[in-house]
Amino acid sequence: MANVGGGFGFGTGVGVGVGVRPYAELTFDSEGDVDRVTQGTVSRMEATDLLVFAHGWNSDRSTATRLYDRFFAPFEGLVGSGVRLGYVGVVWPSMRFSDEPIPDFDTLAALAEPDLGGALDPLTRRALEEFWPERRAELDRVAELLAERPDSAAAFIEFGALIRELAGVDAVPALVAPSVPAIFTDDVLEVCRALSVALARAGAAGTGVPGTGAPAASGGPEGPGLTAGGGMRGLWGGAKELLRQAAYYKMKKRAGVVGERGLGPVLAQLAAARPALRFHLIGHSFGARVVSFSLRAVPDRARYVKSVTLLQGAFSHYAFADRLPHDKGTGGALRGLQRRVDGPVVACHSPHDSALKIFYPLASRMAGDSAGLLGFDERWGAIGHDGVQAVPGAPRLTLDTALRDGVPMTGCVSVDAGSVVRRGGAPSGAHSDICHEELARLVVDAGRMGR
């Protein structure tokens, strides 16, 4: 069994602190291996419909449990009398960045210790060590550099080399090296400057969203420490974001593995044993990637997956396209897999999600892209930013319209959820603001479970 990392150990499969019943967990390690005890618990659930929810990147076990408790709470009062719900929380090894606020769970004042500046707070440091247990020495040096913030190009070059070690991009074979994001291969000073500007933009954007509590960016339009004569010390905020992106890069790959090799086959086994059971998949952030990649394991003509709801999905908006607009000979990573769902694939997106609006395109941009790190290019957009793209006939609805008129019976549909997904602080904005009854009602409608 592989190292799970990220503070997620295997448990009994029964959630403590989740108010709905019956509730159980499916726990996976980093290679997609399922804990058989948790699988057995789920297989014995008495239900007609299983809600299967996968959490995203900014989670530890406690945060995932609280998310499931809050999100699942409204469902019992929303479904019809013939529906008996079972609730499943997918637990997979991501990690918790304690300096990123989660609406309803954190307050900005309760996050990192005061006056840490660009340094790592103790909780994030511990999470990083659990996420990369074999990289303690590299993390020690990364932490030293972030705390000291030396005004030295050599220090940034050293930092960039350490980040590449953590991300594992130096070990990528030459044949597939062009797929490594330029954020890890371009000049580290330029990358840190681009990320520092992006952080300033995210902070400024946050102040325009009511209730975010996000601080305004200071020091002019380019942010603190980025003006002429400011030296290099002001770029260490961008360096810290580069560390965060290295963790995201690893989690992104892991999410696909957990979905395709773990969750997908487990659901197929459950469906084979209980053919009448209906599955409704829900994923947040990289958890949306987990549930979407699980569709690769759904056999052709199988009808057990009745709906998929993606909440602020952190993967390409072209994933379901048969042909990419910029490369007609190539399709998306999940091309056509919406046809394996006996119901709709609903992609919720929000303009208030800074993580997907600003940082996801930076992290996804490929080496050699002439547009530059801060250039706009739709190739690198996230499905949770602007919905499904390049899938003919996929409607685009507001949340109010979707709740009033319903969503299509099949196929992809994009729903602008910005009316409720709007709170959160820098750097991620409203990325995790998903615990709303309106979104629960959308899941119920997509799965035809309503009264």
Side-chain angles (χ1 to χ4, degrees):
M1 195 71 71
N3 189 330
V4 298
F8 287 87
F10 288 131
T12 63
V14 179
V16 177
V18 177
V20 295
R21 291 292 182 271
Y23 172 81
E25 291 174 350
L26 273 174
T27 305
F28 296 91
D29 71 8
S30 60
E31 295 182 359
D33 292 324
V34 67
D35 175 54
R36 297 299 179 184
V37 174
T38 68
Q39 183 179 0
T41 302
V42 172
S43 70
R44 293 187 294 272
M45 295 178 76
E46 292 296 329
T48 61
D49 295 73
L50 286 189
L51 299 175
V52 182
F53 193 166
H55 64 79
W57 70 52
N58 196 19
S59 295
D60 54 19
R61 180 177 289 279
S62 172
T63 306
T65 299
R66 285 185 291 166
L67 169 64
Y68 297 147
D69 180 51
R70 289 291 300 274
F71 191 84
F72 284 146
F75 277 87
E76 184 177 357
L78 299 176
V79 299
S81 58
V83 175
R84 287 180 293 127
L85 289 178
Y87 304 88
V88 178
V90 175
V91 179
W92 63 281
S94 63
M95 68 163 286
R96 174 82 165 96
F97 289 95
S98 63
D99 58 353
E100 286 191 28
I102 299 177
D104 302 320
F105 296 168
D106 299 321
T107 61
L108 291 175
L111 296 174
E113 294 182 358
D115 301 319
L116 283 175
L120 295 175
D121 67 274
L123 292 177
T124 299
R125 173 65 185 275
R126 185 163 66 245
L128 287 168
E129 290 177 351
E130 291 173 347
F131 192 66
W132 279 300
E134 74 285 4
R135 295 292 188 181
R136 296 287 179 89
E138 290 88 343
L139 288 170
D140 285 344
R141 182 56 179 155
V142 163
E144 288 177 7
L145 289 169
L146 289 174
E148 296 170 2
R149 298 188 302 147
D151 190 6
S152 160
F156 278 95
I157 292 171
E158 179 187 4
F159 186 86
L162 290 166
I163 295 300
R164 288 194 298 275
E165 289 270 345
L166 292 174
V169 298
D170 286 340
V172 174
L175 185 64
V176 296
S179 68
V180 174
I183 203 169
F184 302 123
T185 59
D186 282 2
D187 180 87
V188 67
L189 281 170
E190 290 304 313
V191 168
C192 290
R193 179 176 180 82
L195 290 172
S196 297
V197 171
L199 284 167
R201 289 181 181 177
T207 61
V209 180
T212 63
S218 59
E222 292 187 322
L226 301 178
T227 55
M232 298 180 187
R233 290 179 64 85
L235 302 183
W236 283 102
K240 185 177 181 180
E241 181 60 29
L242 182 58
L243 169 63
R244 199 187 311 264
Q245 294 296 335
Y248 294 164
Y249 178 68
K250 185 169 182 176
M251 278 188 276
K252 180 179 180 179
K253 294 189 291 183
R254 180 178 292 176
V257 169
V258 170
E260 182 174 0
R261 300 180 189 173
L263 180 61
V266 166
L267 295 181
Q269 292 171 26
L270 290 172
R274 298 176 60 182
L277 194 58
R278 300 188 292 261
F279 295 85
H280 308 276
L281 309 185
I282 310 161
H284 169 236
S285 184
F286 281 149
R289 184 178 175 90
V290 171
V291 299
S292 296
F293 273 72
S294 77
L295 297 176
R296 287 182 168 178
V298 175
D300 288 337
R301 294 181 292 281
R303 314 305 290 170
Y304 56 85
V305 178
K306 298 300 182 180
S307 69
V308 177
T309 305
L310 310 175
L311 305 172
Q312 303 310 115
F315 61 95
S316 173
H317 56 192
Y318 294 137
F320 293 100
D322 288 330
R323 294 179 180 82
L324 302 180
H326 52 279
D327 184 357
K328 298 296 185 181
T330 303
L334 302 171
R335 55 189 173 275
L337 290 189
Q338 67 270 26
R339 303 181 188 103
R340 298 189 182 181
V341 180
D342 188 25
V345 174
V346 181
C348 295
H349 56 96
S350 170
H352 308 304
D353 185 334
S354 300
L356 300 183
K357 179 180 182 179
I358 298 173
F359 294 102
Y360 180 88
L362 287 180
S364 298
R365 201 176 301 281
M366 300 301 170
D369 176 25
S370 61
L373 276 172
L374 285 179
F376 176 76
D377 193 321
E378 291 184 350
R379 281 180 291 174
W380 316 128
I383 200 168
H385 169 58
D386 57 4
V388 176
Q389 301 291 326
V391 175
R396 308 185 67 82
L397 308 175
T398 66
L399 181 59
D400 287 345
T401 300
L403 293 177
R404 184 187 69 239
D405 301 335
V407 297
M409 296 287 289
T410 59
C412 293
V413 57
S414 301
V415 175
D416 185 342
S419 59
V420 296
V421 180
R422 58 188 296 107
R423 297 181 303 126
S428 294
H431 185 67
S432 295
D433 184 22
I434 60 169
C435 291
H436 299 281
E437 182 175 326
E438 293 90 340
L439 298 181
R441 289 168 55 198
L442 191 64
V443 173
V444 168
D445 183 69
R448 312 301 173 191
M449 295 178 284
R451 296 172 177 173

